[in-house]
Amino acid sequence: MTSTASRFAHQQKREEGIGTNENAVKFREQDYETLKQQCLKKGRLFEDDCFPAEGKSLGYNELGPYSSKTRDIVWKRPKELCPNPNFIEDGATRTDICQGALGDCWLLAAIASLTLDQSILARVVPPNQSFTEDYAGIFHFQFWQYGKWVDVVIDDRLPTRNGKLLFVHSEQGTEFWSALLEKAYAKANGSYEALSGGNTIEGFEDFTGGIAEIYTLDKAPAHLFQIIQKALGLGSLLGCSIDITSASETEAVTSLKLVKGHAYSLTGAEEANYRGRKVQLVRIRNPWGQVEWTGPWSDGSSEWNYIGKDEKSKLNNVAEDGEFWMSYSDFIRHFSKLEICNLTPDTLTSDDVGSWNNCQFEGMWRVGSTAGGCRNHAATFPSNPQFVVRLEEVDDHPLDGKDGCTFLVGLMQKDGRQQRKLNSNLETIGFAIYKVPDEYKGSSNVHLGPDVLLRQRAVAMSSTFINTREVCDRFRLPPGEYAIIPSTFQPHKNGSFILRVFSEKKADISPLEEDIDAKIEEKELSESDVDPHFKKIFKQIAGDDMEISAFELVTILNNIVSHRSDIKTDGFSLSTGRLIVSLLDRDESAKLGLMEFHLLWTKIQRYLEIFKSHDTDNSGTMSSHEMRDAATEAGFQVNSAVLQAMVYRYADAQYAIDFNNFVSCLIKLEMLFKIFKTLERDNSGKIELDMQQWMCLAIN
């Protein structure tokens, strides 16, 4: 209940604009300005209790408390390491980032690319932080985390050994923004060790809120060089790496001075006139700040002697700074993987680059209701969350000259790094895309069932189902309406996700979700319409007062269902009896009279028919995945969030629903609808209660 309330509060904050870069969520509810002013007022340096200068902040295994790698580590502030430390000296540049004893080169490659655009960097590294003016040992940084921006506060105590920074550091040793940025990111993910190993795209996304795609270079599409150029023109961040075949190859240096298993950033793509022909070149950056490619087009190579002076001046900068040029053909031959992070329009402030249109949605897979698994599991697949994208405009200047609508779909699961210390693995995730049938076009208040999803082939799918943080793919489809179905590979897996769609042209994207509604049909009958035999039985049951209390009702219902072998039930509870009486008691006697009991009996007979029709295996119970359709047949239209609450409350440990719980659920739904409609004003879709009203209704 409280977790649901927290989720509602989170949704309200998003609606109020909290979670944007301009109005970031306070990580651990720590407010930078408030804490800083408190320290200045007290004349002491900030010490962060939420990420203390202790072993648990370092890690849990290789950097755990009993590891040899954490011996002799001393946490020191920059002013203890050099006399005049600088936060940023002469602007943040790629050479400020040198890797330490942590395997997070993927992160450093992302940071290096970040420095290419100072406006993007300023979103992550807020300006006006220093070791001089109003210094209080406190700094803050902002990261995109699963759909929202968070502001992370840290103190400036950094892990050192023998007077030197243990992890990332600047080349000069006097500049500390990159080391503090690494610490803040470690805090956001639980520890320094949680940052070990990863893809550059993860850092790209968390520094920009962008969406990333991966290309395997031995299967590079025909127009990849043009895609690279277009991506750079859109302000995208790019990273690349060389795969390893065994752990022994990690950071092994090849004969041409390329580093295997190491994350590089790609910072440029140009065409040069070389000996009368065009040659495609790419510029690569090693975050080590040294160790450069020595093959063709490397610094000082002979190829530079055969291009024009102006081109050479524009492209070639000979320095041992970790940055170098190589031909595109050598690039796809020697490198294994390219990662492109496409940025959101709000990230791009320059008029020199274009931008994508984008939209994002949060969702959940919950066992028993919305965790349907992939298309291999036909019985549950349609219960997955669904989203519709409407593509109307074709691309400008398509790379292959063919019309179509280009869009990216990214499916990201939450909190993978934070769960590492619990030995929790990421789920295997992916998605399928289906064409929306004509009869559903233009509608978003529907949930596509098996009649649609199981009778047609997907028009597109994610390239793979894989246990990574995010699966992202690029598609081009004809204009039309398409349903995106995100799922785990296996059904019955809990998880939370973010679904993002980036499109070259404007596209309308929304959840495919039924409106919450109820059509409760109750025929108005008089006592003369009631069958005389029913009246006789009622008189025998009710006694002299001709009314049935909740206690009597439970006894009656349990006596009836106990004689049936075709349904399973553990009996109606007193709380259910009271709920039924509360719903149907029109004269507020807290008992049911003849007409009220007749109405209940009619309902139960109808609910029994529905229950039996959805007990497809004749087990006497109903699968919770059938609950949406069963509720619809009973007159209740519910969305995924309400369905999840229903299953959580009324299903058993095997996610089966017996008859008494089925009836209880439908009675509860009817009561909630009627209460809401009674209190709703002017069909606004909202009600307002004070504390007393809320407590009285909730207790009942």
Side-chain angles (χ1 to χ4, degrees):
M1 181 70 77
T2 53
S3 62
T4 303
S6 297
R7 179 157 47 85
F8 291 163
H10 171 62
Q11 291 170 352
Q12 289 172 350
K13 286 180 179 179
R14 287 196 63 83
E15 290 169 4
E16 294 166 2
I18 298 174
T20 61
N21 186 252
E22 296 76 19
N23 192 9
V25 174
K26 308 299 182 187
F27 189 75
R28 298 287 189 89
E29 299 184 354
Q30 290 178 297
D31 183 78
Y32 169 71
E33 287 296 340
T34 301
L35 292 170
K36 181 178 178 179
Q37 292 307 316
Q38 288 175 353
C39 290
L40 290 172
K41 187 175 181 179
K42 294 178 180 178
R44 62 175 179 82
L45 297 179
F46 177 60
E47 294 185 359
D48 185 10
D49 293 335
C50 294
F51 198 65
E54 298 173 4
K56 65 180 181 181
S57 298
L58 292 173
Y60 44 86
N61 187 13
E62 288 193 7
L63 294 179
Y66 304 109
S67 170
S68 60
K69 295 183 178 180
T70 58
R71 290 175 188 165
D72 304 321
I73 288 179
V74 180
W75 296 76
K76 291 188 175 184
R77 299 184 189 269
K79 287 195 172 186
E80 298 175 272
L81 297 172
C82 65
N84 295 303
N86 291 294
F87 184 66
I88 294 178
E89 185 177 354
D90 298 326
T93 64
R94 300 186 294 282
T95 59
D96 297 342
I97 307 140
C98 298
Q99 190 173 353
L102 189 63
D104 62 349
C105 59
W106 61 275
L107 176 63
L108 308 191
I111 298 173
S113 291
L114 198 63
T115 63
L116 298 175
D117 190 317
Q118 295 298 309
S119 62
I120 296 177
L121 180 72
R123 291 162 61 91
V124 178
V125 185
N128 303 319
Q129 301 187 82
S130 76
F131 292 98
T132 52
E133 187 176 350
D134 289 337
Y135 170 69
I138 183 171
F139 294 85
H140 69 131
F141 300 84
Q142 293 194 356
F143 308 116
W144 183 89
Q145 293 282 277
Y146 310 111
K148 63 181 182 294
W149 284 87
V150 296
D151 190 86
V152 182
V153 170
I154 56 165
D155 63 36
D156 62 351
R157 295 177 293 177
L158 296 167
T160 71
R161 181 180 282 128
N162 299 324
K164 294 185 178 180
L165 290 177
L166 190 64
F167 303 132
V168 72
H169 54 279
S170 69
E171 200 170 61
Q172 298 84 359
T174 58
E175 200 168 6
F176 289 91
W177 71 269
S178 58
L180 295 170
L181 171 62
E182 182 188 45
K183 179 177 181 178
Y185 196 64
K187 177 179 176 179
N189 285 281
S191 68
Y192 276 96
E193 186 173 355
L195 306 185
S196 184
N199 293 322
T200 304
I201 55 171
E202 188 174 340
F204 282 167
E205 290 182 330
D206 286 355
F207 294 152
T208 66
I211 190 170
E213 48 187 325
I214 301 177
Y215 291 94
T216 302
L217 295 179
D218 61 1
K219 300 174 184 175
H223 302 283
L224 182 58
F225 183 77
Q226 287 75 23
I227 290 174
I228 291 171
Q229 286 188 310
K230 194 169 188 177
L232 290 168
L234 287 167
S236 302
L237 304 178
L238 291 82
C240 52
S241 60
I242 303 170
D243 288 345
I244 59 174
T245 56
S246 66
S248 62
E249 284 190 321
T250 303
E251 297 192 344
V253 181
T254 70
S255 59
L256 293 173
K257 295 296 180 69
L258 294 176
V259 185
K260 292 185 176 182
H262 185 62
Y264 290 81
S265 45
L266 192 156
T267 59
E270 301 286 349
E271 286 189 317
N273 293 297
Y274 173 70
R275 289 184 164 178
R277 62 181 176 86
K278 290 280 188 181
V279 61
Q280 297 172 334
L281 302 175
V282 293
R283 186 175 62 205
I284 312 293
R285 158 80 183 163
N286 182 347
W288 283 351
Q290 53 188 350
V291 186
E292 297 183 11
W293 160 257
T294 57
W297 297 100
S298 60
D299 290 0
S301 70
S302 61
E303 285 78 14
W304 294 104
N305 298 326
Y306 298 95
I307 68 171
K309 184 177 179 181
D310 290 343
E311 281 189 313
K312 183 176 181 180
S313 175
K314 174 186 172 185
L315 301 177
N316 194 17
N317 177 30
V318 179
E320 185 63 20
D321 56 2
E323 195 162 66
F324 55 85
W325 289 91
M326 65 192 308
S327 71
Y328 172 72
S329 58
D330 276 338
F331 170 67
I332 61 173
R333 185 180 304 119
H334 290 279
F335 280 83
S336 310
K337 188 189 303 177
L338 172 70
E339 301 157 336
I340 301 177
C341 182
N342 303 284
L343 304 184
T344 57
D346 67 303
T347 305
L348 299 164
T349 57
S350 171
D351 295 330
D352 297 333
V353 297
S355 64
W356 295 84
N357 295 286
N358 72 295
C359 199
Q360 70 177 27
F361 298 94
E362 294 187 56
M364 292 188 294
W365 297 295
R366 286 295 177 265
V367 177
S369 56
T370 56
C374 72
R375 177 62 178 77
N376 297 345
H377 308 278
T380 53
F381 175 66
S383 64
N384 282 300
Q386 303 175 2
F387 302 84
V388 63
V389 55
R390 298 179 177 90
L391 306 173
E392 298 177 356
E393 299 180 59
V394 297
D395 302 342
D396 294 329
H397 315 299
L399 298 177
D400 61 1
K402 298 178 182 178
D403 283 343
C405 307
T406 295
F407 63 105
L408 307 174
V409 178
L411 175 63
M412 178 184 291
Q413 55 187 318
K414 293 184 177 181
D415 301 327
R417 289 190 180 274
Q418 291 87 333
Q419 298 299 318
R420 280 186 177 183
K421 61 184 177 183
L422 304 176
N423 292 319
S424 178
N425 296 321
L426 291 167
E427 296 295 343
T428 300
I429 60 170
F431 55 85
I433 302 175
Y434 290 82
K435 191 169 179 59
V436 173
D438 291 342
E439 61 266 32
Y440 295 116
K441 283 185 177 177
S443 300
S444 56
N445 60 334
V446 296
H447 186 88
L448 301 180
D451 58 321
V452 175
L453 299 179
L454 303 183
R455 293 180 184 176
Q456 63 167 305
R457 294 175 63 89
V459 296
M461 296 189 71
S462 54
S463 55
T464 184
F465 273 76
I466 190 170
N467 60 336
T468 57
R469 182 173 91 147
E470 183 175 41
V471 173
C472 178
D473 285 288
R474 177 184 292 245
F475 303 98
R476 190 171 59 178
L477 294 175
E481 292 191 22
Y482 301 92
I484 304 171
I485 317 296
S487 73
T488 55
F489 186 73
Q490 297 290 343
H492 318 308
K493 301 287 186 181
N494 284 326
S496 298
F497 65 84
I498 299 288
L499 182 78
R500 298 185 292 163
V501 178
F502 279 45
S503 56
E504 282 206 8
K505 291 287 189 175
K506 184 172 176 55
D508 181 30
I509 304 136
S510 59
L512 269 177
E513 195 63 89
E514 291 172 309
D515 293 335
I516 300 173
D517 198 7
K519 295 178 181 176
I520 303 165
E521 296 180 4
E522 294 178 350
K523 292 181 180 179
E524 288 294 331
L525 299 174
S526 64
E527 190 170 330
S528 61
D529 296 318
V530 179
D531 183 79
H533 181 64
F534 186 90
K535 283 184 185 178
K536 183 179 179 180
I537 294 174
F538 179 78
K539 288 179 181 178
Q540 293 173 352
I541 296 171
D544 294 338
D545 65 352
M546 289 295 287
E547 288 194 311
I548 295 174
S549 69
F551 301 93
E552 293 168 323
L553 177 61
V554 170
T555 302
I556 295 166
L557 292 176
N558 285 335
N559 185 45
I560 293 170
V561 297
S562 67
H563 290 90
R564 297 193 65 116
S565 60
D566 57 341
I567 57 174
K568 287 186 178 178
T569 174
D570 57 3
F572 286 85
S573 67
L574 180 58
S575 62
T576 297
R578 284 172 168 158
L579 183 66
I580 293 172
V581 171
S582 180
L583 172 66
L584 300 176
D585 175 26
R586 295 180 176 178
D587 60 4
E588 298 190 22
S589 65
K591 294 182 179 182
L592 299 183
L594 171 64
M595 299 307 298
E596 294 161 341
F597 186 75
H598 186 273
L599 178 59
L600 170 63
W601 189 249
T602 304
K603 283 182 184 293
I604 289 179
Q605 291 296 104
R606 183 160 174 263
Y607 291 167
L608 180 60
E609 290 177 11
I610 295 170
F611 183 84
K612 292 286 293 174
S613 70
H614 288 275
D615 177 15
T616 53
D617 60 356
N618 297 315
S619 64
T621 63
M622 188 179 72
S623 166
S624 62
H625 281 278
E626 295 276 5
M627 196 62 190
R628 186 195 295 265
D629 289 340
T632 300
E633 195 173 334
F636 303 101
Q637 195 167 284
V638 298
N639 64 14
S640 295
V642 174
L643 179 64
Q644 288 168 13
M646 290 161 55
V647 171
Y648 178 78
R649 173 66 179 81
Y650 295 102
D652 66 15
Q654 285 71 47
Y655 296 93
I657 297 175
D658 61 17
F659 182 64
N660 62 286
N661 275 307
F662 180 67
V663 172
S664 299
C665 180
L666 297 185
I667 293 291
K668 184 76 170 183
L669 279 177
E670 184 174 343
M671 172 171 277
L672 292 173
F673 273 112
K674 287 184 173 179
I675 289 173
F676 188 91
K677 287 300 180 182
T678 301
L679 296 172
E680 182 187 25
R681 294 182 181 178
D682 303 321
N683 292 317
S684 63
K686 296 180 180 180
I687 61 174
E688 185 175 322
L689 302 172
D690 62 27
M691 179 65 77
Q692 175 183 297
Q693 292 167 331
W694 157 247
M695 295 295 287
C696 289
L697 282 173
I699 288 172
N700 283 331

